[in-house]
Amino acid sequence: PLTDILETFADTWLFERVGSDVVPSLVRMGLGFAIAVAAGIGIGLLLGLSRRARIAAAPIVEFLRAIPPPALLPFAILVIGVGNSMKVFIIAFVCIWPILLNTIDGVRGIDPTLDDTTRVYGIPSGDRLSRVMLPAAAPQIFAGMRTSLSLALILMVISEMVASTNGIGYFVLQSQRTFAIPEMWSGILLLGILGYVLNGGFMLIERRVLRWHRGARASALS
C-alpha cells in the first residue's frame, strides 16, 4: 500500500541514508554530467566550425553513440575498475552525445550573414566565439543538456546496480533481492522526486540564461 511506502520513505530517506547513499549518487551524477557538458560543448564547437573535422569525425561519433550503455559496463569495469571512476565514466560517456550533436547543429545553424559581419569588422576570434557563436547556439545546447540530465539520472542508477556498495541504485537492487518491497518502492519514489527537482531546477537556470532568446522570439512573432 502507498501508506506503507510513504512511511518507509520517511524512515529510510529522511536523513538516515542521505549521507551513505544519496550524496554519493548525486556526486557521481554531477561529475559525469559536468564532464559531458565541458567535453560536449568544446568538441561540438570544434566540429561545428570545421567542416573537414566534422566529416572526419562523423563515423566515429555515429559508431560510439550507437553502443548501448549497459554493454559498456563490463568494459568499464575491466579497464577502469569498480570504483567511482567507472560510474562517472559511464555517465559522462552516455551524456555527451546529446550535448555534442546539439552544439554542432547550433553552430552550423548560425546565420552566415552574422558570421560574415563579425569577420568584416575584424572582431577577434575569442570574442566571436564567446559573444556570437555560443549565444547563438545556446538554445540548442541547453536542449541537449536537458536531455543529458535525464540520461545522467538513468545511468547513475544503472552503474550503481553493478559492482557497487552504496548509492540509490544499489539500495533499490538490494531491496529487491532481499524482498524488502516497501524499501524498494521508496528508492524508486526518491528517484522520481530527484528527477522532478533536477529538471525543475535546470528549467529555472535555462529560463534565466536564455531570457534574451525568449524576448527575441516574442519580438519576432509580434
Side-chain angles (χ1 to χ4, degrees), residues 33-43 99:
F33 182 71
I35 293 171
V37 169
I41 294 177
I43 300 173
I99 302 171

Side-chain angles (χ1 to χ4, degrees), residues 35 39 44-45 71 76 83 98 133 137 146 163 191 193 195-196 199 204-206:
I35 293 171
L45 287 172
M133 300 294 181
R146 189 173 176 184
L191 290 172
I193 294 173
Y196 183 83
N199 184 66
L204 290 176
I205 296 173
E206 182 180 12

Side-chain angles (χ1 to χ4, degrees), residues 175-196:
S175 299
Q176 178 263 325
R177 286 176 173 173
T178 57
F179 299 98
I181 305 304
E183 285 78 5
M184 180 193 73
W185 278 111
S186 72
I188 295 173
L189 178 61
L190 176 63
L191 290 172
I193 294 173
L194 285 176
Y196 183 83

Side-chain angles (χ1 to χ4, degrees), residues 27-206:
V27 169
R28 294 164 189 147
M29 177 182 167
L31 286 175
F33 182 71
I35 293 171
V37 169
I41 294 177
I43 300 173
L45 287 172
L46 174 63
L47 299 183
L49 294 172
S50 174
R51 182 175 179 273
R52 186 172 298 177
R54 187 167 60 250
I55 293 174
I60 301 174
V61 171
E62 294 301 323
F63 172 78
L64 291 176
R65 68 187 287 262
I67 299 175
L72 291 171
L73 284 170
F75 163 79
I77 293 173
L78 179 65
V79 175
I80 303 176
V82 295
N84 289 332
S85 299
M86 178 271 291
K87 300 171 180 61
V88 172
F89 166 78
I90 291 292
I91 295 170
F93 182 87
V94 175
C95 291
I96 191 175
W97 306 116
I99 302 171
L100 173 65
L101 297 177
N102 275 270
T103 302
I104 293 173
D105 289 340
V107 172
R108 293 184 63 192
I110 295 174
D111 187 357
T113 303
L114 180 62
D115 188 28
D116 293 339
T117 302
T118 59
R119 296 178 187 276
V120 169
Y121 279 96
I123 297 177
S125 299
D127 289 339
R128 282 173 47 220
L129 184 64
S130 61
R131 297 177 181 272
V132 179
M133 300 294 181
L134 278 176
Q140 285 191 257
I141 293 175
F142 269 90
M145 289 171 61
R146 189 173 176 184
T147 302
S148 292
L149 185 62
S150 300
L151 292 175
L153 183 64
I154 295 171
L155 268 298
M156 177 196 77
V157 176
I158 293 176
S159 65
E160 290 176 347
M161 288 183 170
V162 179
S164 184
T165 57
N166 60 12
I168 304 172
Y170 168 80
F171 176 86
V172 171
L173 183 62
Q174 290 300 111
S175 299
Q176 178 263 325
R177 286 176 173 173
T178 57
F179 299 98
I181 305 304
E183 285 78 5
M184 180 193 73
W185 278 111
S186 72
I188 295 173
L189 178 61
L190 176 63
L191 290 172
I193 294 173
L194 285 176
Y196 183 83
V197 171
L198 290 171
N199 184 66
F202 185 84
M203 287 180 63
L204 290 176
I205 296 173
E206 182 180 12

